[in-house]
Amino acid sequence: MIGFNTKGGRARHTAWLMTSCAAIGLFSATGAQARQAAENAQIDEIVVTGSSRRSLEKAVDMKRDAIGFSDSIVATDVANFPEQNLAEALQRMPGVTIERNKGLGGRVSVRGLPSEFTFVTINKLATASGSGGRDVEFDIFASEIIQQVTVQKSPRASDEEGGIAGSVNISTARPFDYSGRKLVASAEGAYNSISEKTDPKVSFLASDTWGNWGGLVSFSAARRSNRTDSNSGINFRPMFRFSEAGGTRAAQAASVLARDAGVIIKSNTNRDETGRIIFQDKVGDRAYLNTQDQWGGTASLQYKPSANFDIAFDLMVGAFNGTEDQYDAAAYSASSRSTLETIHEYDKTTLSQYGMVVLRDVSYTATQHEMLSKEQINKTDYVQFGSEFNWHGETWKLHGLAGYSGARKTLDYSNLKHVAYAPSRTRWTEKGGETVKSANPASIDMYNSPSKYLFEAYETTLEKITDDKYAAQVDFTKEFAFSFFPALKTIQVGARYTDKSKQRQYGALNIQGPSAGSTAWLNTRTMADSPLTPIGDLVPGGDYSIRDITWSQISNEYARKTFRYAGFKTPFTPDNYYEVGEKVTSLYAMADLGFDVGPVPVAINGGVRYVDTSITSAGYHQVQTPTGGTTYTPAPVSSDGSYNKLLPSVNVTAELTDSIILRGAASKTLMRPALTDLAYKRTASWNSFRFTDGNPALKPTFAEQWEVGLEKYLPGGGLLAVSYFNKQIQGVVRQALTGTVKNVTKYNANGTIDGVYDFDVYQPVNADGSYKVTGVEMVAIVPFDILWEPLKGFGVNANYTILDSSLTGQSIIKVPTPPVGLADKAYNVTLYYENDKFQARVSYNYKDKYVEGIGYEMYPIWRSGYGQTDMSVSYNVNDRIQLSLEGINITDEATKGYTMDPSFPTMYEKSGRRFSLGRG
């Protein structure tokens, strides 16, 4: 790292809290306390003298002084944990796990709960990211522009509501965080082992203060090119796909089942029976190239005329442009033309407790073979600006903030689809599945028969999301020193107003000819009529790495140029449009108490928050035309909802001895409904006599929660900590029958009236009852020299989280299913060594298996447990220059999944290793 400090010679000892060739230190403190500590101490309190251990010592000191449960990461000028975005930096915190997509960290989960249960702010403003729901896509944020992240697990009355799992509070740097002038820059190149591409990354920070004023700017830009190979999509498909088709398909399926597996279907329409006979849905060999261009910048102007007053204006801007090229060679066994031909192997044992028979190896009469060239272009721009002031006297403090956060996201997707129907044989393998030629003479080599594949469509979709959030808050704190009530230290009151809106537009168009409306290419043009490229050349890095196969496809570049005719445009359609507006007024009051119980000092923070929320939601409703078709209302139909709630909270700390602290917390908190559930749009199923609506009247999901923890502080900044938490969650959102629309006229295709019927209305509702999530978190920060002096410089930083839940998923055939997204355990272990010149660390991060979804509302689909080893090594050439080497997934782990039992794998995905060499 290059550091310049024109007001002193301490550059090599100064921690600038940005991640650029930087290390992550773990500590715990409330967001307000962390900011206050920075304000009071400025740079003198964050001197780590180039040492990861000193950083951890400071972190442990801050945890010791905090009230409540929270964990944070900051960046220092030591050696950094390797990461590709902010999500991956967060995964090393206790109780925090991430969702990976093609090897890249994306959404963040806290304590095993789904990502939408987590509330996110930047500089105390709710964060817009452009996702379709409330969860935040962390991969759009460059970690280099972030100063500090705190995960608040036990809320206070002053904390903005919205996260049952916890709140992630992100801070960017301000000029008075540093002492005088500061200039830091770094650059690195990163290499992916599969794509064999090297990508650049640069960042810098410049800050200075002059008198009462200070200014700071920071910038980061990076490109990431990750190749992923995957054998996936191999889910269960229930036999009612064939048995309910009727005619020859149903009769032959029943005959083959009886002949080859001894299975007799008693009723083709009894899904409790046919849903327990399983065959493979689809097998796909896929190669992806994910290219991301990401930049972000911050600016801060701060005025601080005295120790009693300061005001700051913060700006954060950035963009995330990602292109994913995906090339599929897939075989769809359950095609509309197919049925069973021969069962080569079946399994009545593995899932016999559920009465299930799995057909492991089957030949089919007419598999739908597909060659798919898919392209997804994601463009997200975000901006946030706000102002914050602090003014205090001897016994009072006034604080206020106001600001805006906004994001604009466009997702442009296309899929060039060629199809060949032919007999084939599909079976499970150790890693996933495979499709091979069958004994039927009409069978084909699906990987080498381009002239057999007929053009079906060039499918396009376009999605645009706008996300706007405004907020203003004011707080007043008064200190007290009453002789009759000496325990009362402060009372704080405040109010906050937020105004949020999110709009989604969506459209789809299938191109089947050289001009608008033309179908000239449909079933006439073949894949051989376009130039073909071997898969190893379509995506950099060579041959497909999962199996010993190869194939050729049409490049996305050629498809875009050829099939998007002049004047092409994907039109927006009303069926998936929605707009949701939400206004929230919050009032709170809380107090801080301090007193002794015998020899034990006790600190208490308690208060209550009142939340009043109003919602306006709009969407189009489907209506039937006189000719039996479907259209929509001419304008969006709107509906309103509202709710209010009191949210109490208390946090307690007791210093049992000089080195042992007992903590406790209890609170009630909420998570607001998903925007897609609030969106008041209606879809109709005319043959089922059913409407499906959104529900703006949904109430939040609430949690009553408590936690207790014990911490033992060791010499030299060490810590051993354990805590137990309990969350009682109620008001979970489910789909349910909510009413009936009477006298709905249904038309036939020829315009005649089919009849007048009563239509059922299904909406998301808050389910009755509650479920419980409990867990244990353990943290160990141990410098080894406290155990044995010759180990000076070595140490460990580890955490472990165990979870349990009483909630079960919805399986209509009664298969026990944990909550979607909840992993029973997660842990991180980091071993480090450092001296004055050299720093090294190895980190292992593990998340246990969890349910990704429930296929056909019957079968839990699991993501296997995943562990990844990362490393970082750095060397200080001199006081101003540092060289670093980082490795991500250095053991080249694969991502895996299965349905119900590991012997039925659904995916095997490899994204390779990534190495970065940098100079800072």
Side-chain angles (χ1 to χ4, degrees):
M1 177 171 301
I2 305 171
F4 302 96
N5 189 329
T6 62
K7 295 188 179 181
R10 298 171 56 192
R12 66 184 181 277
H13 304 305
T14 303
W16 69 290
L17 303 182
M18 296 286 298
T19 307
S20 70
C21 293
I24 297 169
L26 177 67
F27 67 86
S28 291
T30 65
Q33 288 168 327
R35 173 63 74 186
Q36 188 64 49
E39 291 172 355
N40 294 341
Q42 293 185 24
I43 196 62
D44 294 328
E45 290 298 320
I46 315 177
V47 174
V48 297
T49 60
S51 165
S52 175
R53 175 168 172 176
R54 294 290 180 87
S55 178
L56 288 173
E57 287 177 4
K58 182 63 183 177
V60 170
D61 288 342
M62 296 181 74
K63 180 179 181 68
R64 185 168 187 161
D65 294 338
I67 297 177
F69 295 88
S70 64
D71 298 286
S72 301
I73 56 172
V74 293
T76 69
D77 68 347
V78 203
N80 77 312
F81 282 110
E83 39 68 40
Q84 299 180 86
N85 56 46
L86 181 57
E88 296 186 358
L90 296 180
Q91 69 179 316
R92 308 183 201 283
M93 301 172 67
V96 176
T97 55
I98 63 175
E99 297 176 10
R100 295 182 182 276
N101 181 28
K102 316 299 186 307
L104 294 170
R107 293 176 170 84
V108 169
S109 299
V110 176
R111 289 182 163 169
L113 293 168
S115 58
E116 59 267 24
F117 280 44
T118 302
F119 183 68
V120 182
T121 66
I122 296 179
N123 293 334
K124 303 176 185 176
L125 298 173
T127 304
S129 76
S131 74
R134 292 187 186 272
D135 51 340
V136 172
E137 297 171 331
F138 280 84
D139 54 359
I140 73 172
F141 298 117
S143 60
E144 287 76 15
I145 66 175
I146 302 302
Q147 180 205 38
Q148 175 182 311
V149 182
T150 297
V151 177
Q152 192 76 30
K153 298 174 181 177
S154 61
R156 301 168 303 158
S158 59
D159 296 327
E160 188 175 2
E161 72 289 340
I164 285 178
S167 298
V168 177
N169 306 315
I170 301 168
S171 300
T172 57
R174 288 177 178 164
F176 281 100
D177 291 339
Y178 309 113
S179 156
R181 183 172 299 171
K182 187 74 174 176
L183 177 62
V184 187
S186 68
E188 71 174 45
Y191 172 83
N192 178 260
S193 65
I194 297 183
S195 69
E196 299 180 352
K197 291 178 69 71
T198 301
D199 301 311
K201 177 181 179 181
V202 296
S203 63
F204 78 86
L205 176 144
S207 177
D208 200 2
T209 57
W210 51 96
N212 299 330
W213 291 88
L216 177 148
V217 294
S218 71
F219 179 81
S220 172
R223 165 165 283 199
R224 290 289 181 261
S225 301
N226 286 327
R227 173 174 165 181
T228 298
D229 290 355
S230 173
N231 179 231
S232 60
I234 312 141
N235 295 320
F236 281 7
R237 191 63 183 255
M239 188 55 62
F240 56 71
R241 169 63 172 171
F242 295 151
S243 62
E244 292 181 5
T248 304
R249 293 175 66 204
Q252 181 165 327
S255 175
V256 173
L257 278 168
R259 182 194 70 198
D260 294 344
V263 175
I264 307 298
I265 294 180
K266 298 176 182 177
S267 171
N268 283 345
T269 58
N270 181 4
R271 291 194 169 189
D272 188 57
E273 177 188 2
T274 57
R276 298 178 191 272
I277 307 169
I278 306 303
F279 65 98
Q280 280 188 357
D281 189 8
K282 179 186 285 190
V283 176
D285 290 293
R286 301 180 168 98
Y288 303 83
L289 178 64
N290 188 294
T291 304
Q292 300 179 354
D293 289 301
Q294 179 189 73
W295 70 269
T298 68
S300 181
L301 181 64
Q302 195 171 7
Y303 176 61
K304 193 171 186 177
S306 70
N308 295 337
F309 181 83
D310 75 272
I311 186 170
F313 176 82
D314 300 307
L315 173 68
M316 178 177 173
V317 295
F320 174 89
N321 297 326
T323 299
E324 182 175 275
D325 293 295
Q326 174 183 340
Y327 297 98
D328 282 17
Y332 181 44
S333 307
S335 79
S336 59
R337 304 181 187 180
S338 189
T339 191
L340 306 182
E341 189 171 73
T342 304
I343 299 171
H344 303 281
E345 182 183 354
Y346 60 90
D347 183 342
K348 293 183 178 181
T349 303
T350 304
L351 301 177
S352 60
Q353 61 181 312
Y354 309 115
M356 295 175 64
V357 178
V358 182
L359 310 183
R360 287 187 174 270
D361 184 353
V362 180
S363 290
Y364 301 90
T365 59
T367 298
Q368 180 177 318
H369 304 89
E370 301 173 341
M371 288 290 178
L372 310 174
S373 299
K374 300 180 180 180
E375 182 183 47
Q376 181 171 282
I377 301 174
N378 171 8
K379 295 183 178 180
T380 302
D381 297 303
Y382 65 89
V383 62
Q384 177 172 309
F385 55 84
S387 182
E388 182 178 12
F389 76 88
N390 292 282
W391 181 26
H392 60 87
E394 291 186 5
T395 62
W396 58 270
K397 179 178 179 181
L398 184 65
H399 165 263
L401 65 87
Y404 163 82
S405 178
R408 303 289 183 268
K409 177 178 179 178
T410 300
L411 194 63
D412 183 351
Y413 170 83
S414 62
N415 175 24
L416 176 59
K417 186 175 183 179
H418 288 80
V419 176
Y421 289 93
S424 68
R425 180 176 177 178
T426 303
R427 57 198 176 198
W428 266 280
T429 65
E430 181 182 353
K431 294 181 178 179
E434 65 175 355
T435 302
V436 297
K437 290 182 69 175
S438 71
N440 191 314
S443 186
I444 63 171
D445 176 1
M446 64 169 284
Y447 297 96
N448 191 33
S449 304
S451 62
K452 300 289 187 181
Y453 285 84
L454 297 175
F455 173 87
E456 185 169 289
Y458 181 71
E459 303 168 344
T460 68
T461 65
L462 184 65
E463 180 180 26
K464 285 190 176 181
I465 295 172
T466 60
D467 189 357
D468 297 291
K469 300 180 180 179
Y470 299 85
Q473 178 173 321
V474 62
D475 310 272
F476 180 76
T477 304
K478 182 72 171 72
E479 298 177 6
F480 296 94
F482 293 131
S483 58
F484 63 89
F485 190 14
L488 179 63
K489 304 303 180 184
T490 66
I491 290 179
Q492 183 175 339
V493 296
R496 186 181 184 98
Y497 177 78
T498 60
D499 188 341
K500 309 172 187 178
S501 65
K502 184 165 286 193
Q503 183 188 79
R504 178 183 189 257
Q505 295 177 286
Y506 181 88
L509 181 67
N510 289 349
I511 298 172
Q512 295 183 318
S515 60
S518 172
T519 59
W521 292 336
L522 179 62
N523 294 327
T524 59
R525 184 182 178 112
T526 73
M527 195 169 75
D529 293 327
S530 299
L532 301 177
T533 305
I535 194 69
D537 296 327
L538 278 175
V539 286
D543 292 339
Y544 184 60
S545 62
I546 303 296
R547 300 199 292 137
D548 186 20
I549 57 172
T550 189
W551 69 95
S552 296
Q553 285 189 235
I554 302 167
S555 73
N556 283 321
E557 180 182 10
Y558 174 85
R560 176 171 282 269
K561 291 178 180 178
T562 303
F563 296 99
R564 297 198 176 202
Y565 50 77
F568 160 82
K569 183 180 181 181
T570 302
F572 289 125
T573 52
D575 53 335
N576 284 298
Y577 169 90
Y578 66 77
E579 184 172 9
V580 178
E582 184 177 77
K583 294 179 172 61
V584 181
T585 300
S586 302
L587 306 172
Y588 77 88
M590 70 180 189
D592 289 295
L593 306 176
F595 52 90
D596 293 339
V597 178
V600 177
V602 176
I604 299 177
N605 171 274
V608 64
R609 187 177 187 89
Y610 171 78
V611 179
D612 185 273
T613 304
S614 61
I615 298 164
T616 299
S617 176
Y620 290 90
H621 284 205
Q622 275 189 343
V623 294
Q624 196 177 37
T625 66
T627 58
T630 297
T631 186
Y632 296 88
T633 53
V637 179
S638 65
S639 182
D640 299 330
S642 64
Y643 53 87
N644 55 68
K645 200 71 178 178
L646 285 174
L647 304 173
S649 63
V650 62
N651 293 276
V652 182
T653 298
E655 191 171 350
L656 302 181
T657 71
D658 289 342
S659 62
I660 299 177
I661 290 181
L662 176 68
R663 297 186 191 275
S667 63
K668 186 167 186 175
T669 186
L670 61 81
M671 181 199 73
R672 292 190 165 86
L675 297 176
T676 50
D677 290 332
L678 291 172
Y680 193 56
K681 55 188 180 71
R682 168 172 289 179
T683 57
S685 178
W686 303 109
N687 293 326
S688 299
F689 309 105
R690 173 174 173 166
F691 291 133
T692 302
D693 293 1
N695 187 3
L698 274 176
K699 300 297 187 287
T701 299
F702 293 99
E704 294 182 353
Q705 55 191 26
W706 59 270
E707 183 166 2
V708 62
L710 192 65
E711 300 160 2
K712 169 66 176 177
Y713 291 85
L714 307 174
L719 169 68
L720 299 175
V722 61
S723 66
Y724 172 85
F725 59 88
N726 182 299
K727 297 176 184 284
Q728 196 78 23
I729 300 174
Q730 58 186 356
V732 176
V733 176
R734 305 284 199 201
Q735 286 288 124
L737 175 66
T738 59
T740 302
V741 178
K742 294 185 177 296
N743 301 322
V744 178
T745 302
K746 180 175 179 290
Y747 295 90
N748 296 314
N750 60 7
T752 61
I753 294 177
D754 179 84
V756 178
Y757 303 95
D758 294 343
F759 272 53
D760 292 332
V761 178
Y762 284 80
Q763 290 178 286
V765 300
N766 297 105
D768 295 331
S770 64
Y771 72 96
K772 184 168 65 175
V773 175
T774 61
V776 175
E777 283 185 359
M778 293 172 280
V779 178
I781 301 172
V782 182
F784 289 160
D785 60 331
I786 69 173
L787 305 175
W788 190 35
E789 180 61 26
L791 293 178
K792 183 176 182 180
F794 289 94
V796 63
N797 183 355
N799 59 78
Y800 190 97
T801 303
I802 307 171
L803 296 168
D804 188 25
S805 172
S806 65
L807 180 70
T808 57
Q810 299 182 80
S811 170
I812 62 177
I813 60 171
K814 310 304 181 184
V815 176
T817 305
V820 172
L822 193 149
D824 289 341
K825 62 184 177 183
Y827 59 87
N828 303 280
V829 179
T830 298
L831 298 174
Y832 64 85
Y833 172 77
E834 64 175 46
N835 57 35
D836 291 340
K837 284 283 189 179
F838 178 78
Q839 302 90 34
R841 61 181 67 195
V842 177
S843 179
Y844 182 76
N845 176 270
Y846 179 82
K847 181 178 181 179
D848 201 12
K849 67 181 186 298
Y850 62 93
V851 173
E852 286 190 291
I854 304 177
Y856 296 94
E857 299 181 327
M858 295 179 176
Y859 324 111
I861 303 169
W862 292 81
R863 177 69 68 93
S864 301
Y866 179 83
Q868 180 169 300
T869 302
D870 305 327
M871 54 78 67
S872 172
V873 178
S874 62
Y875 177 75
N876 299 326
V877 178
N878 54 41
D879 290 347
R880 295 188 174 188
I881 298 177
Q882 181 187 79
L883 300 178
S884 64
L885 174 66
E886 300 170 356
I888 295 175
N889 191 24
I890 60 175
T891 56
D892 197 20
E893 298 298 323
T895 302
K896 304 173 186 177
Y898 60 90
T899 302
M900 297 185 65
D901 186 88
S903 65
F904 305 115
T906 60
M907 66 176 297
Y908 187 90
E909 187 174 279
K910 297 198 73 171
S911 297
R913 306 175 179 91
R914 190 172 187 88
F915 296 97
S916 301
L917 181 64
R919 173 183 172 180

